[in-house]
């Protein structure tokens, strides 16, 4: 069967990485004999013409889209276009949002035929087999669909043995574009989370029991990724440090192979030790992100976080002592938030900052499936919007009796202002020649990202990067000057910044030039 998978639009400000979930789905489909293509609307601008061309050339019989809450509208719009172009195609949507809103989606969205609930690798394969054999959908575990005038739902499938899953089919993803944008590449070593935070949907999505991959297979994959020239690998486990033996086994396997790779992970402050962090640093870990959530002990108890501020300080100091950069994230607007608890959180953030710990603020987004949304009437919380595109956690869509949304917005906006000021300071240091290339690289990479992303989403290389070859083109082995002139009028950036971004991309061979048949042709290296 021919299957098209769609990665819906996701803003570059959210630092997207190559879609790992879709790569796992594609791997399972290919292993069972299906032909798969992937349409990535994060690094290509979506258009109905582009979709129509894909449908015409590939003739998919099944089209599936994934979605988190913030991207579900984009996913549904893409599936609506699929049905408008070819109503015979079976359409499916999956991901966290669809899992917990399956009934609502099927009741209101005619463009969706099937919702995959929970982990989708085995379910999607079962769906393709049922479609090929024209078997009843009732026997497919983990789906919801229309059955006449009712919504039918089947029992959830057993949770997958992670070592039995097919490897992620990353060859279908335009990895080159993510690499050119300076995005990290992600992988996982486990699934599941045993903790019960009221704002998180992960436990319900992939289970409370943590399932681990064989450390040898983990490092096999990490070794493969290390050859692709990404600046960083993100271990996207909900909690990489949930089991010390597993964490240490992965690190020891990296060290035994002499593999040199930079990676990051997520942890809880009550699951790390000096021995663990020191081993992680030796194995290449540069940053560990901790969800601290609040600087108020009362709030931490209310959200069932299960940690103390003393544990937070201890974990952060351990990271600093071991040479790992710790990052703390806070969530504003949790149930019962008051002006007093906000002040406690801000003060605690400053305390961590004085220790050399970076931190950031988000605002509670009550995602479908979370305890905080399902029991909102029991909490001191008012949801202000069900506009899913606003569920990015950077502006308030909730308020409590003690805190207005504008107050929380002001805190996040001030954090953004401080970040912009930091960038400005780096810029001045660069202009004054008082910094090394390594010190200013975060700013330079961000500048490149913004320019390159604009070029990609405006299709400027595709539309302006081809012209009849002239003598000057043939004589110049690297004629970026003409390319810069052709693009400058299309981009709202200083010409020096455009030149720097193009020189960087061309120098790294993320952007390549070919002269053939009397023409000069520039193109992104999409697939690695």
């Amino acid at each position: 069967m021919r299957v098209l998978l769609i990665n819906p639009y996701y803003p570059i400000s959210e630092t997207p990485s190559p879609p790992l979930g879709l790569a796992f789905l594609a791997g399972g489909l290919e292993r069972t004999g299906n032909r798969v293509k992937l349409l990535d609307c994060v690094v290509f601008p979506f258009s109905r013409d582009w979709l129509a061309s894909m449908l015409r050339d590939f003739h998919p019989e099944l089209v599936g889209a994934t979605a988190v809450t913030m991207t579900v509208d984009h996913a549904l719009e893409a599936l609506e276009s699929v049905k408008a172009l070819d109503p015979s195609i079976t359409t499916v949507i999956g991901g966290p949002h669809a899992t917990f809103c399956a009934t609502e989606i099927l009741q209101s969205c005619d463009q969706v035929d099937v919702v995959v609930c929970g982990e989708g690798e085995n379910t999607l394969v079962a769906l393709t087999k049922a479609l090929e054999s024209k078997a009843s959908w009732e026997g497919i575990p983990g789906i919801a669909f229309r059955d006449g005038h009712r919504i039918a739902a089947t029992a959830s499938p057993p949770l997958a043995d992670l070592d039995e899953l097919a490897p992620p089919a990353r060859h279908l993803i335009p990895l080159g574009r993510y690499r050119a944008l300076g995005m990290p590449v992600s992988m996982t070593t486990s699934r599941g989370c045993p903790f019960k935070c009221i704002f998180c949907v992960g436990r319900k999505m992939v289970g409370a029991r943590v399932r681990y991959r064989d450390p040898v297979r983990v490092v096999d994959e990490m070794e493969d990724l290390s050859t692709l020239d990404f600046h960083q690998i993100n271990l996207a486990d909900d909690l990489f440090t949930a089991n010390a033996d597993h964490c240490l086994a992965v690190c020891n396997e990296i060290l035994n192979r002499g593999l040199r790779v930079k990676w990051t992970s997520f942890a809880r402050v009550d699951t790390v030790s000096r021995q663990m962090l020191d081993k992680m640093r030796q194995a290449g870990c540069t940053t560990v992100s901790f969800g601290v959530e609040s600087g108020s002990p009362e709030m931490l108890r209310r959200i069932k976080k299960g940690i103390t501020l003393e544990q937070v300080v201890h974990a952060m100091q351990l990271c600093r002592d071991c040479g790992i950069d710790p990052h703390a994230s806070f969530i504003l607007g949790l149930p019962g938030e008051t002006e007093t608890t906000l002040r406690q959180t801000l003060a605690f953030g400053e305390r961590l900052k004085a220790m050399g710990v970076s931190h950031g603020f988000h605002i509670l987004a009550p995602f479908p499936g979370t305890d905080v949304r399902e029991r909102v009437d029991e909490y001191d919380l008012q949801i202000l919007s069900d506009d899913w595109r606003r569920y990015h956690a950077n502006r308030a869509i909730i308020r409590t009796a003690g805190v207005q949304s504008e107050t929380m917005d002001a805190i996040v906006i001030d954090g953004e202002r401080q970040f912009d000021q930091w960038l400005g300071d780096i810029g001045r240091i660069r202009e004054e020649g008082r910094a090394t290339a390594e010190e200013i690289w975060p700013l330079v990479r961000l500048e490149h990202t913004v320019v390159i992303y604009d070029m990609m989403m405006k299709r400027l290389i595709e539309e302006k990067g081809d012209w009849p070859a002239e003598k000057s083109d043939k004589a110049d082995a690297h004629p970026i000057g003409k390319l810069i002139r052709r693009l400058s009028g299309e981009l709202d950036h200083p010409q020096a910044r455009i030149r720097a971004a193009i020189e960087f991309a061309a120098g790294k061979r993320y952007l390549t030039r070919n002269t053939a048949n009397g023409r000069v042709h520039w193109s992104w290296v999409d697939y690695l």
Side-chain angles (χ1 to χ4, degrees):
M1 177 168 283
R2 293 180 298 278
V3 182
L4 175 64
L5 299 177
I6 298 177
N7 190 32
Y9 170 76
Y10 194 81
I12 194 70
S13 59
E14 299 295 318
T15 318
S17 60
L20 182 60
L22 286 182
F24 268 114
L25 295 176
L29 289 166
E30 286 193 327
R31 186 168 67 178
T32 50
N34 297 284
R35 292 181 58 197
V36 186
K37 288 189 179 294
L38 193 146
L39 201 89
D40 196 334
C41 305
V42 174
V43 291
F44 287 92
F46 177 81
S47 70
R48 183 170 287 200
D49 288 344
W50 181 40
L51 177 64
S53 175
M54 177 71 77
L55 299 186
R56 183 175 59 252
D57 296 341
F58 184 51
H59 301 293
E61 299 147 276
L62 177 68
V63 175
T66 186
V68 296
T69 298
M70 182 177 62
T71 65
V72 68
D73 286 347
H74 296 292
L76 291 171
E77 287 169 1
L79 294 182
E80 185 175 28
S81 294
V82 169
K83 280 294 191 184
L85 290 164
D86 188 345
S88 70
I89 294 174
T90 300
T91 53
V92 58
I93 190 169
H97 185 94
T99 293
F100 300 107
C101 292
T103 298
E104 294 90 329
I105 287 174
L106 290 168
Q107 287 175 338
S108 60
C109 303
D110 293 339
Q111 68 267 40
V112 176
D113 295 318
V114 188
V115 175
V116 171
C117 302
E119 292 185 338
E121 290 92 352
N122 295 330
T123 297
L124 199 56
V125 168
L127 178 60
T128 61
K129 292 179 178 178
L131 289 171
E132 285 183 308
S133 63
K134 302 188 185 307
S136 169
W137 291 357
E138 293 283 355
I140 303 171
I143 65 170
F145 59 96
R146 298 182 199 85
D147 183 12
H149 295 294
R150 74 181 184 97
I151 304 298
T154 63
S156 299
L159 293 174
D161 179 336
L162 301 187
D163 285 331
E164 295 299 319
L165 293 177
R170 291 191 178 90
H171 60 278
L172 298 175
I173 301 173
L175 295 176
R177 292 199 169 217
Y178 287 95
R179 188 179 62 176
L181 288 167
M183 298 295 110
V185 66
S186 61
M187 60 174 288
T188 55
T189 82
S190 68
R191 287 184 189 175
C193 181
F195 298 97
K196 301 179 180 179
C197 302
I198 65 174
F199 52 83
C200 182
V201 78
R203 175 189 175 96
K204 292 184 178 181
M205 188 68 185
V206 295
R209 179 178 64 86
V210 184
R211 292 161 287 150
Y212 300 97
R213 295 177 60 198
D214 179 353
V216 173
R217 296 189 183 195
V218 167
V219 182
D220 285 344
E221 183 177 352
M222 185 176 283
E223 191 165 9
D224 287 341
L225 293 179
S226 72
T227 67
L228 301 182
D229 197 30
F230 282 88
H231 77 280
Q232 177 179 294
I233 297 173
N234 285 352
L235 298 188
D237 306 32
D238 287 324
L239 184 55
F240 175 60
T241 58
N243 181 286
D245 289 341
H246 172 74
C247 175
L248 292 173
V250 170
C251 292
N252 284 327
E253 184 66 22
I254 294 171
L255 291 168
N256 289 341
R257 298 191 193 190
L259 181 61
R260 299 179 65 84
V261 61
K262 292 182 179 180
W263 52 276
T264 68
S265 69
F266 296 97
R268 277 175 58 99
V269 297
D270 56 350
T271 63
V272 295
S273 65
R274 183 179 297 273
Q275 176 198 15
M276 179 188 291
L277 291 168
D278 189 54
K279 186 70 71 172
M280 289 168 64
R281 180 195 58 78
Q282 293 176 39
C285 181
T286 60
T287 304
V288 175
S289 296
F290 297 91
V292 177
E293 323 314 355
S294 178
S296 163
E298 174 192 354
M299 293 292 290
L300 291 176
R301 288 190 293 271
R302 183 175 296 128
I303 65 175
K304 301 179 182 178
K305 184 67 181 179
I307 62 173
T308 67
L309 299 182
E310 290 75 20
Q311 289 173 320
V312 173
V313 172
H314 180 63
M316 301 299 168
Q317 190 58 56
L318 284 180
C319 285
R320 297 288 294 165
D321 292 345
C322 292
I324 289 176
D325 290 330
H327 177 79
S329 64
F330 294 93
I331 299 176
L332 310 178
L334 292 161
E337 189 86 89
T338 65
E339 296 281 356
T340 298
T341 60
L342 277 183
R343 285 195 296 272
Q344 289 175 311
T345 295
L346 293 174
F348 191 65
E350 288 301 310
R351 180 181 176 185
L352 296 182
K353 183 178 179 180
M355 294 173 58
V357 177
S358 63
H359 66 280
F361 298 105
H362 291 286
I363 303 174
L364 176 68
F367 299 115
T370 58
D371 184 65
V372 74
R373 187 179 187 90
E374 293 180 349
R375 299 173 55 201
V376 66
D377 292 340
E378 301 175 31
Y379 291 118
D380 169 32
L381 196 67
Q382 182 180 358
I383 298 175
L384 303 177
S385 175
D386 282 338
D387 177 352
W388 303 129
R389 298 188 194 211
R390 297 180 60 191
Y391 277 58
H392 46 66
N394 295 315
R395 294 293 184 270
I397 50 174
I398 50 89
R399 66 177 171 223
T400 69
V403 179
Q404 294 297 305
S405 57
E406 294 82 3
T407 301
M408 292 179 279
D409 281 346
I411 293 172
V412 174
I413 291 169
D414 184 61
E416 295 168 349
R417 179 192 59 76
Q418 291 184 40
F419 178 73
D420 290 341
Q421 182 178 355
W422 174 74
L423 291 178
D425 291 341
I426 293 179
R428 283 190 291 275
I429 291 172
R430 175 175 62 174
E431 291 171 359
E432 295 167 4
R434 294 189 293 112
T436 65
E438 184 177 358
E439 289 171 329
I440 64 171
W441 178 240
L443 172 61
V444 173
R445 187 168 62 205
L446 179 60
E447 290 176 345
H448 292 344
T449 295
V450 172
V451 175
I452 291 172
Y453 182 71
D454 282 354
M455 287 194 288
M456 286 181 179
M457 300 310 277
K458 293 179 179 179
R459 291 182 50 82
L460 293 183
I461 296 299
E462 292 82 350
E463 296 178 3
K464 300 288 185 178
D466 185 276
W467 60 81
E470 300 174 353
K471 289 185 179 180
S472 58
D473 293 316
K474 296 176 182 178
D476 190 343
H478 205 52
I480 65 169
K482 181 179 283 191
L483 181 64
I484 292 169
R485 290 192 297 274
R486 290 172 70 91
L487 300 187
S488 293
E490 308 292 333
L491 291 166
D492 188 21
H493 301 287
Q495 185 153 331
R497 191 169 296 174
I498 295 171
R499 172 179 287 277
I502 293 176
E503 287 178 341
F504 164 76
K508 297 285 285 185
R509 296 198 61 78
Y510 303 155
L511 180 64
T512 61
R513 180 191 65 122
N514 178 49
T515 302
N517 300 320
R519 299 192 69 82
V520 173
H521 179 72
W522 287 88
S523 61
W524 297 110
V525 178
D526 293 334
Y527 296 93
L528 304 182

